Amino acid sequence: MKLARAETPDGVRTGEYDDGALHTGTGSYEVSPEDLLAPCEPGTFYCVGRNFAEKIDQMDYDVPDRPDWFIKPAVSLHHPGDPIVYPEWTEELTYAGELAAVVDEECTDLEGESEVRDVLRGWTVLNDLDALDQERRTARKAFDGSAPLGPVIETDIDPRGIDIETYVGGELRQDATTDWMIFDPYETVAFLSERYTFRPGDVISFGSPANPGLLEPGQEVAITYEGVGTLRNTVVAPGDGGE
């Protein structure tokens, strides 16, 4: 089942999304892809890096012996389909197509895959935008709009062994599988839950395969995780925010 949030004549509604229709507890709405919002409202993004061997080789990192992570704030959320405005303060903006889990209930100190499964709403797609020429991870990654998310949450899929493809400007830039992750998604969520209390809507992402190349205004970024969905956003120059 796919869950979504969308603008409707009655305001923002959440429900089951099926072939252009959003079914809620109070009714159904016809919605276009342009109506879809980010499928949740995270208080926090917990983002794992250095989790694909291919990426580690690309960046010449050491292989971690436990998940390596950073945090994006709520203001990093960016809706699917909305233009990504190229920040004026960087000249090196890049992307990272990531699988992400969405938390469904407050939880902490989880043990094992079954406990993790019980607290997750499902799986979605994140684009971990990165201003490479800035110093330190927070400056590079935790800025406004740095986390395009969506467009849907898939509730019934095994996150292992699914394919990822990222196209930038029509060119295939990432082609991988989640089997290449160093740390399994369930293992990662359990590990982070030892340190944090997750709240409903929070997002945990699991890193990206190698991502050669930078983004330029005018390019569409399309990230597909098999069985989950495709996240699309177009990069625009400063001042062309699509307002």
Side-chain angles (χ1 to χ4, degrees), residues 6-240:
E7 292 280 3
T8 77
D10 298 319
V12 176
R13 293 290 184 268
T14 300
E16 181 180 349
Y17 182 70
D18 181 26
D19 195 24
L22 185 71
H23 305 289
T24 73
T26 57
S28 297
Y29 302 88
E30 291 186 10
V31 294
S32 68
E34 292 75 24
D35 296 321
L36 295 180
L37 305 173
C40 60
E41 295 182 280
T44 308
F45 294 84
Y46 301 89
C47 302
V48 172
R50 308 183 188 184
N51 197 29
F52 281 77
E54 181 187 25
K55 179 70 171 287
I56 288 172
D57 290 342
Q58 175 198 10
M59 303 302 290
D60 196 25
Y61 292 142
D62 294 330
V63 177
D65 57 6
R66 62 182 185 177
D68 173 64
W69 78 96
F70 56 95
I71 287 175
K72 291 179 185 265
V75 294
S76 297
L77 181 66
H78 192 83
H79 295 297
D82 283 3
I84 296 169
V85 180
Y86 202 111
E88 294 182 345
W89 39 264
T90 182
E91 295 180 355
E92 295 184 354
L93 184 68
T94 191
Y95 56 89
E98 305 196 1
L99 181 69
V102 179
V103 176
D104 198 41
E105 61 184 70
E106 185 169 310
C107 57
T108 191
D109 203 20
L110 303 168
E111 293 186 7
E113 181 175 327
S114 63
E115 287 194 11
V116 173
R117 283 180 180 271
D118 287 344
V119 302
L120 294 183
R121 191 174 305 169
W123 309 88
T124 190
V125 182
L126 173 79
N127 185 355
D128 173 26
L129 296 175
D130 188 340
L132 289 176
D133 55 359
Q134 305 301 296
E135 293 186 4
R136 305 186 189 280
R137 266 182 169 168
T138 298
R140 285 173 45 193
K141 292 175 171 284
F143 53 91
D144 283 6
S146 61
L149 187 73
V152 298
I153 297 170
E154 172 56 56
T155 64
D156 186 22
I157 195 169
D158 188 329
R160 293 162 295 204
I162 61 177
D163 294 334
I164 167 185
E165 289 185 341
T166 299
Y167 283 84
V168 176
E171 176 188 358
L172 182 63
R173 295 277 188 91
Q174 295 181 305
D175 185 7
T177 169
T178 57
D179 276 344
W180 296 355
M181 289 181 179
I182 297 169
F183 300 103
D184 173 281
Y186 295 113
E187 177 186 7
T188 299
V189 173
F191 173 84
L192 292 175
S193 77
E194 297 173 4
R195 292 157 172 79
Y196 302 102
T197 297
F198 299 134
R199 300 188 184 279
D202 282 352
V203 167
I204 303 124
S205 69
F206 304 103
S208 171
N211 53 336
L214 301 174
L215 294 175
E216 299 292 342
Q219 293 178 324
E220 181 191 66
V221 185
I223 302 165
T224 301
Y225 272 83
E226 177 190 11
V228 179
T230 300
L231 173 64
R232 299 178 187 275
N233 299 87
T234 297
V235 182
V236 298
D240 294 336

